[in-house]
């Protein structure tokens, strides 16, 4: 009923052309979602779709700085991994704001020493655990993956070389706090750290830390499964802490 009333109002205000326009918009949306869900269909998991961080989903005081759940494009992630020209067996991979865990599942196909996902929404954390467990069944070689239900601002980094992954998970003071923690960890124990920042809203904050140099941005292939063609900024620690 509501839909019918809304449509009548729209036609009255904008004319009949609104009908093909809305049809095309919804078609694009449906195709994009269908493409994005390909990963789930192939692996029998549930990682696709958007979720706003409302009160039911997150109770943390940092909720207002968090960005809604949206998974990384599988195509883009593969492209990012192809740039890592180091011995991954020495490295721990950390996904800050891992959501339903798609990135953890994809990272598990690379020989990382460990893989950690950090998520502050209990619902998303639970879904990530289910996905990891389910995915592990079909992949006996699956390495050790940990999912932690905690705020990224309170997460302590392991003392190994690191690949840190951010898909625009949080903004403002939370990003600043997380970056401060990374700097403190590096100053205490200088080691190789690669920071991959997909949709790099706060790239300047990373540069301003003084421990990273920014490499050229990684060109990503066109992917019809994502709503916008995001950029990917890439950082590596300088040889010594500053
Ligand atoms: C854009 S999604 C990225 C999901 C996942 N990293 C991926 O690429 O598929 C951002 C995620 O960050 C989480 N998040 C936001 N603020 C957070 C915080 N302070 N601590 C932990 N997780 C947070 C959100 O709940 C959401 O799942």
């Amino acid at each position: 009923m509501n839909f019918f009333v809304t449509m009548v109002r729209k036609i009255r205000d904008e004319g009949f052309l609104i009908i093909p326009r809305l049809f095309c918009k919804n078609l694009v949306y449906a195709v994009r979602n269908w493409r994005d869900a390909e990963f789930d269909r192939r692996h029998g998991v549930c990682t696709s779709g958007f979720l706003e961080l409302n009160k039911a989903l997150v109770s943390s005081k940092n909720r207002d700085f968090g960005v809604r759940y949206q998974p990384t494009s599988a195509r883009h992630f593969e492209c990012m991994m192809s740039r890592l020209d180091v011995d991954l067996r020495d490295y721990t991979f950390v996904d800050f704001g891992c959501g339903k865990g798609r990135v953890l599942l994809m990272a598990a196909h690379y020989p990382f020493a460990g893989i950690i996902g950090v998520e502050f929404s209990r619902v998303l954390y639970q879904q990530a655990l289910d996905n990891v467990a389910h995915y592990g069944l079909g992949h006996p070689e699956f390495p050790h993956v940990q999912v932690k239900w905690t705020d990224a601002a309170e997460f302590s980094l392991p003392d190994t070389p690191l690949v840190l992954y951010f898909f625009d998970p949080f903004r403002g003071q939370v990003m600043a706090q997380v970056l401060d923690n990374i700097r403190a960890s590096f100053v205490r124990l200088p080691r190789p750290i690669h920071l991959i920042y997909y949709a790099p809203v706060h790239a300047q904050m990373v540069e301003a830390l003084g421990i990273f140099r920014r490499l050229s941005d990684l060109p990503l292939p066109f992917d019809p499964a994502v709503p916008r063609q995001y950029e990917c900024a890439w950082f590596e620690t300088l040889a010594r802490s500053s």
Side-chain angles (χ1 to χ4, degrees), residues 7-241:
M7 279 311 289
V8 170
R9 281 206 192 118
K10 275 191 174 291
I11 291 168
R12 189 192 59 202
D13 296 345
E14 301 178 41
F16 274 101
L17 272 184
I18 190 74
I19 295 176
R21 237 183 271 140
L22 277 179
F23 176 79
C24 290
K25 201 171 151 194
N26 282 316
L27 188 67
V28 168
Y29 188 73
V31 169
R32 187 192 299 142
N33 284 352
W34 186 81
R35 293 290 296 255
D36 185 57
E38 197 175 310
F39 181 87
D40 292 0
R41 286 194 296 277
R42 193 171 339 131
H43 300 292
V45 290
C46 169
T47 65
S48 58
F50 301 104
L51 272 180
E52 295 300 334
L53 303 182
N54 57 27
K55 279 190 188 144
L57 211 63
V58 184
S59 55
S60 162
K61 62 179 173 21
N62 284 335
R63 177 166 54 89
D64 290 347
F65 297 96
V67 178
R68 71 175 180 177
Y69 174 70
Q70 176 189 345
T72 291
S73 138
R75 183 185 281 192
H76 285 173
F77 189 76
E78 265 173 39
C79 179
M80 293 173 206
M81 289 297 100
S82 70
R83 191 185 205 182
L84 275 173
D85 188 18
V86 290
D87 187 350
L88 298 180
R89 288 171 300 184
D90 299 334
Y91 283 74
T92 305
F93 179 95
V94 181
D95 183 10
F96 283 89
C98 69
K100 298 181 185 180
R102 180 188 289 183
V103 162
L104 307 179
L105 305 181
M106 295 190 291
H109 288 273
Y110 298 84
F112 288 108
I115 295 171
I116 304 175
V118 181
E119 174 56 53
F120 76 166
S121 158
R122 179 142 198 204
V123 176
L124 292 171
Y125 156 78
Q126 199 61 53
Q127 182 68 66
L129 281 182
D130 289 353
N131 284 332
V132 166
H134 192 85
Y135 199 78
L137 292 177
H139 296 75
E141 77 285 7
F142 205 63
H144 188 51
V145 175
Q146 298 174 53
V147 190
K148 295 190 181 285
W149 178 37
T150 185
D151 196 299
E154 283 154 26
F155 173 70
S156 299
L157 289 166
D159 284 347
T160 61
L162 297 164
V163 174
L164 306 180
Y165 183 74
F166 293 78
F167 174 16
D168 185 22
F170 27 72
R171 305 272 171 88
Q173 65 190 52
V174 175
M175 186 67 178
Q177 180 63 58
V178 169
L179 291 175
D180 270 357
N181 296 347
I182 294 170
R183 179 174 45 201
S185 174
F186 177 72
V187 168
R188 183 179 56 76
L189 183 66
R191 59 203 187 281
I193 303 179
H194 301 255
L195 192 154
I196 304 171
Y197 195 175
Y198 186 48
V201 173
H202 286 315
Q204 283 181 348
M205 272 194 196
V206 184
E207 284 177 74
L209 267 191
I211 61 165
F212 287 110
R213 73 189 169 104
R214 184 172 181 168
L215 307 187
S216 57
D217 285 2
L218 179 68
L220 296 172
F222 174 75
D223 186 350
V226 295
R228 269 186 296 128
Q229 298 306 306
Y230 302 112
E231 287 166 18
C232 182
W234 200 284
F235 301 87
E236 284 178 9
T237 38
L238 304 162
R240 300 170 149 272
S241 61

